[in-house]
Amino acid sequence: QVQLQESGPGLVKPSQTLSLTCTVSGGSITTNYYYWSWIRQPPGPGLEWIGYITYSGSTYYSPSLKSRTSISRDTSKNQFTLQLRSVTPEDTAVYYCATDPSITTVRSTPAYWGQGTQVTVSS
């Protein structure tokens, strides 16, 4: 069974870049027709999809975050990475990496999730 683990700093200063890495085990990020998402949960209810990278390396982003977001991958390490630029306190959230073979489901209710990592934006 595929397992995902997020890693990265828990505290980021305003205007800086948030960088998180998802390490995948039990499966390959190049497996055909799998999609690899970043999703966040700000304080309060509701999840926000950030973007995903496909098995072939294509990327798709939420329109509301597209101008500040980059997702990339390192196939040799079986990892994919989120960069969110020019962060503000409104970017404070628990950040999750996740995967699913459905291009639709991977944005909302992916089958496999990491445990999540808290990122706080504060000076």
Side-chain angles (χ1 to χ4, degrees):
Q1 179 170 328
V2 64
Q3 294 183 319
L4 304 96
Q5 178 67 58
E6 305 88 351
S7 60
L11 181 64
V12 182
K13 288 181 167 45
S15 81
Q16 292 188 341
T17 296
L18 180 162
S19 293
L20 296 175
T21 296
C22 184
T23 301
V24 178
S25 58
S28 171
I29 62 173
T30 61
T31 299
N32 278 349
Y33 312 121
Y34 268 76
Y35 304 87
W36 305 86
S37 263
W38 286 100
I39 296 169
R40 69 183 183 181
Q41 182 168 25
L47 295 169
E48 181 179 21
W49 172 70
I50 300 169
Y52 63 70
I53 188 165
T54 73
Y55 54 95
S56 61
S58 299
T59 53
Y60 296 86
Y61 304 118
S62 167
S64 64
L65 296 170
K66 183 177 182 179
S67 64
R68 300 193 290 128
T69 306
S70 296
I71 297 175
S72 60
R73 67 179 186 173
D74 186 335
T75 56
S76 68
K77 296 181 179 179
N78 214 31
Q79 296 175 332
F80 62 106
T81 300
L82 169 70
Q83 288 195 319
L84 184 64
R85 296 177 291 275
S86 303
V87 297
T88 71
E90 285 66 41
D91 293 309
T92 294
V94 178
Y95 285 76
Y96 298 91
C97 56
T99 188
D100 197 276
S102 165
I103 197 170
T104 300
T105 309
V106 74
R107 302 184 190 210
S108 56
T109 54
Y112 304 98
W113 295 73
Q115 66 181 25
T117 186
Q118 173 70 47
V119 178
T120 300
V121 179
S122 175
S123 56

